[in-house]
Amino acid sequence: MDSVNDSLADPPADAGLDIALLESSFKMIAPQAEEFVDAFYAKLFELYPHTRGFFAATDMTLQRKKLVSALVLVIENLRNPQALGSALTALGRKHQSYSIGAAHYPMAGDALLKTFSAFLGEAWKPEVENAWVQAYAAITRAMLSGYLAPHAP
């Protein structure tokens, strides 16, 4: 496939995402979304201390809400890949202004997957992990397509 938006616009079976598994596993996290996001940032800063600098002038309360909203946006739009692709591309463009580069996406993914693992416990089975790895890869591709695209005037 030539573009990220094309890959997100494919039917779920072609995209390789296990939407039902992503939805059901996120449903287990949703009641503790604030704690989950706190744990994510703690894990990110523990594993990659230099990333703390990206948030030096950031209202972390607001940032945590933004991350929860982004996760909810992804889950609620897995069955609407065109809308999801557009939203993620725009989010990727926005990350340019934060000086977050392609090399940082795997760091966030690592922290995110480790946080899912910790919160899901025994429910973090290989198929759940694989579903989230695939989803994060698709999310990253979409965001990077926006990040790398030239801005319209």
Side-chain angles (χ1 to χ4, degrees), residues 26-69:
F26 187 75
K27 190 180 270 190
M28 290 183 243
I29 298 295
Q32 42 190 339
E34 288 181 30
E35 294 88 353
F36 178 85
V37 172
D38 286 344
F40 163 76
Y41 283 110
K43 182 58 70 178
L44 179 67
F45 299 152
E46 172 194 333
L47 295 171
Y48 307 100
H50 68 282
T51 61
R52 189 180 298 272
F54 291 119
F55 302 95
T58 301
D59 175 345
M60 288 306 291
T61 300
L62 180 59
Q63 181 61 34
R64 287 177 178 92
K65 288 178 183 176
K66 287 180 180 180
L67 180 55
V68 169
S69 294

Side-chain angles (χ1 to χ4, degrees), residues 58 85 89 107 109 131:
T58 301
T89 299
M107 295 173 201

Side-chain angles (χ1 to χ4, degrees), residues 1 7 9-17:
M1 292 183 204
S7 68
D10 286 344
D14 292 341
L17 298 180

